[in-house]
Amino acid sequence: MALEHGHSPKEIAARLDAQNDSWRLRDAIFGGIDGTVTTFAIVAGVQGAGLASHIVIALGLANVLADGFSMAAGNYAGTKAVADDRRRLWAVEERHVRENPQGEQDELKQILARMGLNGQVLQEAATMISANKRQWIAMMMSAEYGLPPTDDRPIRAALVIFVAFVLAGMLPLLPYLIGLSPAFSWSTGIAALTFFGIGTIKSRWSLAPWWRSGFETLLIGGLAAGLAYAVGGLFHP
């Protein structure tokens, strides 16, 4: 069976130099699933209550834009808080390296010892790493505080989740916007395909087969829509 990537010096260097964009995948999937779930839940709830189609459109559009913006703003605030904390701790480590280099060297040696290094090898590794202050602090940030080696980008994170939310959230509304009939049946089919599609995309970065990941996501969305439809039915005249 072919390996997932090559191991030539050039290929290894390219992978190590490449920026880790897993956060974009996480935000896009999160935004897409939540956008579809919340919008279709509104569609199902309004349909269950027996209300007119224009109410579905009004509430659905309001949800897509307002909730999408709210999620993006919340993601921006959370990502920015992590980035600010990282910059604060980086400044702390810089000051400690400058004012107490021996103490930081001792910390570095303990970190390397927990990785399995010992004796002369540990001493040489600590000396080489601490010779480059930026790499030294980056290792401390990761090992001591559990923070990523690079800054998150709050605005990018917010845009990714907003775009994914709006694009996926608009799909269940399309039958109502363009006048397909029966609109709810079309909306249900589109939402189901969207849930399944997002799940199959997600499987590319997991060990689960594509069909299982697709059905898991479809089940989550279906349960949310079923609850919304049942609640809406309580208010059906």
Side-chain angles (χ1 to χ4, degrees):
M1 186 176 69
L3 297 177
E4 287 76 9
H5 52 250
H7 292 83
S8 69
K10 186 176 181 180
E11 290 170 318
I12 293 172
R15 279 198 307 279
L16 295 177
D17 291 338
Q19 181 183 354
N20 186 354
D21 288 339
S22 60
W23 62 269
R24 293 185 189 175
L25 168 67
R26 175 201 64 197
D27 289 343
I29 289 177
F30 180 47
I33 291 177
D34 198 55
T36 311
V37 167
T38 56
T39 305
F40 186 63
I42 286 175
V43 171
V46 173
Q47 189 72 34
L51 301 178
S53 295
H54 69 274
I55 297 179
V56 173
I57 296 173
L59 293 179
L61 289 176
N63 167 78
V64 167
L65 296 176
D67 202 12
F69 179 81
S70 175
M71 283 193 65
N75 198 30
Y76 171 82
T79 306
K80 188 175 185 300
V82 173
D84 289 343
D85 188 44
R86 184 182 184 280
R87 283 191 286 272
R88 178 185 66 85
L89 292 172
W90 187 283
V92 168
E93 289 299 314
E94 275 189 323
R95 183 164 57 85
H96 287 195
V97 166
R98 182 175 62 253
E99 298 181 6
N100 187 11
Q102 186 56 53
E104 291 296 311
Q105 276 270 4
D106 293 341
E107 285 187 15
L108 178 59
K109 289 177 183 177
Q110 283 204 35
I111 291 169
L112 295 173
R114 294 187 180 193
M115 294 179 178
L117 277 65
N118 57 66
Q120 186 63 27
V121 173
L122 186 151
Q123 182 61 47
E124 291 176 356
T127 301
M128 293 180 67
I129 291 171
S130 59
N132 185 320
K133 188 174 76 170
R134 186 168 187 84
Q135 289 187 351
W136 184 5
I137 295 175
M139 174 169 279
M140 302 299 289
M141 296 291 290
S142 177
E144 189 173 353
Y145 301 109
L147 292 172
T150 57
D151 276 323
D152 289 327
R153 293 172 172 80
I155 294 179
R156 273 186 169 182
L159 286 175
V160 167
I161 205 165
F162 179 76
V163 170
F165 188 100
V166 171
L167 290 179
M170 287 296 295
L171 293 176
L173 291 177
L174 281 179
Y176 293 90
L177 291 171
I178 63 179
L180 289 176
S181 183
F184 184 62
S185 297
W186 278 99
S187 181
T188 302
I190 291 172
L193 289 175
T194 304
F195 287 133
F196 189 81
I198 293 174
T200 58
I201 293 172
K202 181 167 63 72
S203 71
R204 182 179 174 185
W205 292 271
S206 72
L207 296 176
W210 63 270
W211 55 269
R212 180 181 297 171
S213 180
F215 278 117
E216 285 176 353
T217 308
L218 175 59
L219 178 62
I220 293 170
L223 289 174
L227 289 172
Y229 188 86
V231 171
L234 297 176
F235 299 93
H236 197 291

